[in-house]
Amino acid sequence: TSCLLFLFSLGTGSNILSALQDLFWLSKSKVEKQLQIISVLQWVLTFLIMGIACTLILMYILCTDCWAIAALYLAWLVFDWNTPKKGGRRSQWVRNWAIWRYFRDYFPIRLVKTHNLLTTRNYIFGYHPHGIMGLGAFCNFSTEATGVGQKFPGIRPYLATLAGNFRMPILRDYLMSGGICPVNRDSIDYILSKNGSGNAIVIVVGGAAESLNCTPGKNSVTLKNRKGFVKLALRHGADLVPVYSFGENEVYKQVIFEEGSWGRWVQKKFQKHIGFAPCIFHGRGLFSSNSWGLLPYSKPITTVVGEPITIPKIDNPSQKEVDLYHSIYVESLIKLFDKYKSKFGLPESEVLEVN
């Protein structure tokens, strides 16, 4: 697997296919499928265990004869600690890795542009729904696999995620290379006020609370009381853009605990004190789509970027002003959902549930 990941980072998709076909005498379609599975598996493992694994490995190295390597990295970590809060350190090379194109094709994932975005403005994209891992958000905005740079020229997307991820060694650098930033006020304020124009911060508005209710066949968003992103937009005069990802909830099956149950109580405690909610979920197995495992099901995910809502710059917006633009945003999201739902496999009778 490590050799394949190295090939991913260095070569083009066609070069990788040719090399593996010669090596294993497999058909092109079988090689492509295996590469797709490996590409998704590495991201799932990154999402679930990379931070903890890298921390443990660093601690182990400190106790060996190679302790100087770990010590040098820790010194660098202290020096570089605030970089995630200042726009990070994105790498176009990493964003263009061939591995992300195989990741895209596994589902497949598609990005749909509906309107042009001005490079003279800054934006806050509200991404819905969260799903289990936000796979569509990652592929579309933290890589170039679906052509976000070509579809929105001059716009720099920053996918915002839990700030705790940036306290994990190695993982923080990996995330920053894709243009991922902490979803906290310091980071967002810096990008929207000190980083010029043409920035688009992608916030998965529903967060951990929304992930607890995601299940195949359900289109619901946690949004009614989520108004902080609107207040940020008003403070910086950043236009709001509703984004809906059809199929995000279809790729994993989850055990849903009812309100008032012990399971939901535990999830909410984790969400309150740690920032994420542990979900009991499963996808398909590594070797068979009929078995259970960590791989997501290969269901299409289509992310539609809606029409930007022009937001005035108000240094200290009142609650009435926040409520007004929040209601406009909710209406825009519902209109976006209704306009495209039938095009992406949903019946006309399907209604977006806003909680």
Side-chain angles (χ1 to χ4, degrees):
T1 300
S2 60
C3 292
L4 288 174
L5 291 176
F6 180 70
L7 281 172
F8 276 136
S9 67
L10 294 181
T12 64
S14 59
N15 289 339
I16 295 168
L17 278 175
S18 298
L20 292 181
Q21 278 182 262
D22 292 341
L23 184 61
F24 298 116
W25 296 353
L26 295 175
S27 67
K28 181 178 179 180
S29 61
K30 287 183 179 179
V31 173
E32 281 187 334
K33 189 61 181 176
Q34 293 306 311
L35 292 175
Q36 290 168 11
I37 288 173
I38 292 169
S39 67
V40 174
L41 179 62
Q42 69 84 27
W43 169 246
V44 171
L45 294 178
T46 295
F47 183 90
L48 294 176
I49 66 171
M50 183 177 178
I52 295 173
C54 288
T55 302
L56 293 175
I57 290 170
L58 199 65
M59 291 172 64
Y60 170 76
I61 293 175
L62 280 171
C63 300
T64 68
D65 292 339
C66 297
W67 64 269
I69 296 174
L72 284 172
Y73 178 79
L74 289 173
W76 160 254
L77 195 63
V78 172
F79 174 78
D80 195 54
W81 190 253
N82 288 323
T83 298
K85 299 177 183 178
K86 297 181 179 180
R89 188 168 46 247
R90 77 172 55 217
S91 166
Q92 285 302 115
W93 177 65
V94 174
R95 288 175 60 90
N96 281 288
W97 276 356
I99 191 173
W100 306 131
R101 297 194 288 278
Y102 289 107
F103 183 99
R104 171 199 66 196
D105 293 340
Y106 172 85
F107 297 93
I109 296 174
R110 181 184 171 205
L111 180 66
V112 176
K113 170 186 175 180
T114 63
H115 291 78
N116 292 325
L117 299 181
L118 299 175
T119 57
T120 55
R121 300 284 293 173
N122 283 324
Y123 301 90
I124 293 180
F125 286 16
Y127 184 91
H128 314 268
H130 183 287
I132 295 293
M133 297 185 184
L135 294 165
F138 168 76
C139 185
N140 284 307
F141 301 112
S142 293
T143 81
E144 293 296 329
T146 56
V148 65
Q150 289 73 43
K151 291 176 180 176
F152 300 103
I155 301 297
R156 293 179 298 277
Y158 293 85
L159 177 60
T161 188
L162 291 175
N165 289 324
F166 297 89
R167 301 187 186 103
M168 301 284 189
I170 310 299
L171 175 63
R172 67 189 291 277
D173 302 288
Y174 190 38
L175 294 179
M176 283 194 292
S177 68
I180 301 177
C181 68
V183 62
N184 58 32
R185 181 169 173 175
D186 288 344
S187 177
I188 294 172
D189 282 349
Y190 182 90
I191 292 170
L192 294 180
S193 64
K194 299 178 181 178
N195 201 41
S197 60
N199 302 293
I201 297 182
V202 184
I203 300 177
V204 187
V205 178
E210 191 171 86
S211 69
L212 297 179
N213 295 313
C214 70
T215 187
K218 186 174 184 179
N219 288 283
S220 65
V221 296
T222 301
L223 183 57
K224 280 184 179 178
N225 297 315
R226 299 293 175 109
K227 300 180 180 180
F229 73 107
V230 178
K231 190 172 184 178
L232 280 170
L234 285 165
R235 288 180 59 243
H236 293 285
D239 293 347
L240 288 171
V241 182
V243 179
Y244 197 85
S245 231
F246 294 90
E248 184 72 64
N249 284 346
E250 307 299 316
V251 296
Y252 280 111
K253 294 179 181 178
Q254 180 183 190
V255 176
I256 304 292
F257 293 101
E258 297 296 328
E259 289 292 340
S261 66
W262 68 270
R264 183 53 65 97
W265 180 84
V266 170
Q267 288 176 322
K268 286 188 173 181
K269 286 295 181 182
F270 264 83
Q271 178 190 336
K272 180 179 179 180
H273 297 292
I274 301 178
F276 74 92
C279 302
I280 299 177
F281 65 92
H282 74 85
R284 53 155 289 183
L286 182 59
F287 302 106
S288 171
S289 59
N290 296 319
S291 61
W292 287 15
L294 288 176
L295 279 176
Y297 294 104
S298 53
K299 303 287 186 180
I301 299 175
T302 305
T303 302
V304 185
V305 180
E307 182 177 4
I309 302 165
T310 302
I311 302 294
K313 188 177 187 304
I314 305 174
D315 291 335
N316 293 297
S318 65
Q319 189 60 50
K320 185 177 180 180
E321 290 167 327
V322 172
D323 291 342
L324 170 63
Y325 284 98
H326 181 268
S327 65
I328 293 172
Y329 178 86
V330 173
E331 290 175 10
S332 297
L333 179 64
I334 293 173
K335 286 179 181 178
L336 181 70
F337 178 85
D338 289 339
K339 182 176 180 179
Y340 288 93
K341 61 186 178 183
S342 61
K343 294 182 181 180
F344 303 119
L346 298 178
E348 283 291 345
S349 58
E350 185 73 17
V351 175
L352 178 61
E353 181 182 329
V354 180
N355 298 314

